[in-house]
Amino acid sequence: MNGPKHKLCTKLSSTYLRKWWITIVIAVILLIAGVLVACEFSVLINAIVDRMIVLRPGTKTFGWWAKPPVEPRISLYVYNVTNADDFLSNGSKAIVDEVGPYVYSETWEKVNIVENDNGTLSYNLRKIYKFREDLSAGPEDDVVIVPNIPMLSATSQSKHAARFLRLAMASIMDILKIKPFVQVSVGQLLWGYEDPLLKLAKDVVPKEQKLPYEEFGLLYGKNGTSSDRVTVYTGSDDIKHYGVIDKFNGRTHLPHWTTNDCNRLDGTDGSIFPPHITKERMLEVYDKDLCRLLPLVYEREVDTPNDVPAYRFTPPEWVFADVDSHPDNMCYCPAGKPSCSPNGLFNVSLCQYDSPIMLSFPHFYLADDSLRTQVEGISPPTKEKHQFYFDVQPKTGTTLRVSARIQINLAVSQVFDIKQVANFPDIIFPILWFEEGIDALPNEVTDMMRFAEHIPPKIRIVLIVALCTLGLVLLLLATFCLIRNSHRQSTLHLEGSNYLATAQVDMNKKQNKDNAPTTRY
């Protein structure tokens, strides 16, 4: 009599239980998804960033890389010698007056771009300089007195030559009326002027030994398209090599130094670095005029003008240290320890046709103070004005702000047999210093970086909270309903058992009554 009803109740109960068990499964899935988002969401975002920044022709990133939407500037400060005659005739300490800045805006563009099969791009760099008199201390026609670099380079190189060669050189310089100091305009010092020694060398030096220029200027031949062919990785095969130089003029290593490690070229040009930069990572920049890779180490977090967080990277203090302070720099002494540079200087003569050019930071920042005090008129260096730094967005590896500050010095050797320089002492003579870089990127670029930096973490938090909250609510609700249903089933089972027992008793009583004998009267 109760069989069909019992089956129906069992079926309904089974459907009810199945529904809440499915709810529990969904809740667990949501909780697991929340945990996965917490642990792996940044990996997904990094993969998206990696795909966005790869240098693929036709993409925005490629366009920004090929023709940066910025206006870099270079500001130059010349050390004008104010007592050249006294210095040479009386042995007085040289007095210099720092004049400047002379400011040039720059336009950068990578041209002749070729996509290679091995995930690299090859190009030539075009740099166009335009003088900004409105930002400068004076016109390019300002006249300065500076050391005669071609002459002093030639005399210093002749120091260990045969004596008759030095005497012959002195006679030639006497005939050509060449003096140790020249009076030139700022524009001539930078972009070139006719030098009698170079003109003579053009006529008498064998073709294979001739210098590749006919005039002398510190930036001679740099206003235009460079002949240097650069090959860099696009990041398509390995994002860790993004922007890294593969070859420079067909070379994978420099030919100058004593070890392969010091001859490496596998840095970037400084505009981009492989992404996901940590504070422990060392960045490396290669520039032909530096004659080496320049290492950069993390200094601190900084805020940029467009509210994009950045890491500041600067050269370590040991980068131009002497070998006694930093033995690893021994590889930059090709002729052994006697050829090593003093502390705070780097000898780039091997990249400058053997001219004794020494690089340092401005005002001999991080160098021995004795170098600064060899001449009068150079104020003590300060970190704020003379530090070299890159501000890099760590997630994308893009340089947001840079100030590349370098000083050019001439290492002069005294040569007694050449009367024109007989009184010119051994000295590191400062010529000029410059700072080149950018103050900020355009809004179009920084907006994307700000989005990549700020929005994904917020999305991650929202997803974690939403998934975990929903999963937890469903789990608690399902558990509560299952417990309540289990209690109800127990109650119904007990009530059903009591009902059956009562019914059985009533039935037994009725059967006993029916079976009892009837009494007749």
Side-chain angles (χ1 to χ4, degrees), residues 187-236:
Q188 288 176 318
L189 176 64
L190 298 178
W191 307 111
Y193 61 92
E194 190 175 90
D195 181 81
L197 269 184
L198 292 180
K199 187 176 180 181
L200 178 64
K202 178 184 176 183
D203 297 329
V204 301
V205 173
K207 184 177 180 180
E208 62 274 7
Q209 297 179 11
K210 286 185 179 180
L211 298 175
Y213 44 82
E214 299 178 0
E215 296 183 338
F216 175 78
L218 294 173
L219 296 179
Y220 182 82
K222 295 185 182 297
N223 197 357
T225 302
S226 171
S227 61
D228 296 320
R229 192 70 173 163
V230 186
T231 302
V232 300
Y233 289 100
T234 64
S236 57

Side-chain angles (χ1 to χ4, degrees), residues 384-405:
E384 293 73 22
K385 293 182 179 179
H386 304 125
Q387 184 187 40
F388 185 118
Y389 67 83
F390 279 73
D391 291 344
V392 183
Q393 208 289 318
K395 189 174 290 294
T396 63
T398 303
T399 297
L400 300 174
R401 184 170 54 193
V402 59
S403 187
R405 295 163 171 161

